[in-house]
Amino acid sequence: MTDNTPSYESSNLDDDARRRRIKFRAWHRGIKENDLILGTFADAYVEELTTDDLTDFERLMEAPDQDVYGWVSNTKPVPDEYKTSLMTRLQSHIVPQRTRLER
């Protein structure tokens, strides 16, 4: 029997284990910009995320780096399946950082 469950599904892990894995993966994305955005977000907020948010974060981690960066930085339209409260929080997370960099 083949398991067709997407890799972002973590039904066999408890939420604490999922949080630890998310924090690691958020800092090891592939492009430094996403490491900084997702990693600092995970460090700051992962403990507050609901089970649904964790699933959304895991699904986001499966998307290509360039797409994730574009969606989070509002330079690409966010596809409907990624328009979540998590995405809104990620986008808000980087606004203060962009403001500091522009000064």
Side-chain angles (χ1 to χ4, degrees), residues 9-20:
E9 292 288 337
S10 299
S11 59
N12 60 334
L13 297 176
D14 66 25
D15 285 352
D16 288 333
R18 293 173 72 193
R19 285 181 176 94
R20 287 189 302 273

Side-chain angles (χ1 to χ4, degrees), residues 76-100:
K76 283 185 171 182
V78 179
D80 288 341
E81 64 266 25
Y82 293 99
K83 287 183 181 176
T84 63
S85 62
L86 176 75
M87 180 61 70
T88 302
R89 289 181 70 183
L90 275 164
Q91 290 169 331
S92 297
H93 173 70
I94 68 166
V95 170
Q97 294 176 10
R98 277 194 273 153
T99 303
R100 280 196 307 264

Side-chain angles (χ1 to χ4, degrees), residues 3 5-29 35 38-39 42-43 46-47 49 51 53-62:
D3 180 11
T5 306
S7 60
Y8 61 83
E9 292 288 337
S10 299
S11 59
N12 60 334
L13 297 176
D14 66 25
D15 285 352
D16 288 333
R18 293 173 72 193
R19 285 181 176 94
R20 287 189 302 273
R21 187 174 72 178
I22 284 170
K23 283 178 82 169
F24 178 84
R25 290 187 67 204
W27 278 107
H28 298 88
R29 286 289 307 168
D35 291 351
L38 298 175
D43 284 351
V46 77
E47 298 303 323
L49 298 180
T51 300
D53 290 335
L54 295 174
T55 299
D56 290 342
F57 208 151
E58 289 166 335
R59 187 166 36 93
L60 185 64
M61 298 282 208
E62 297 296 323

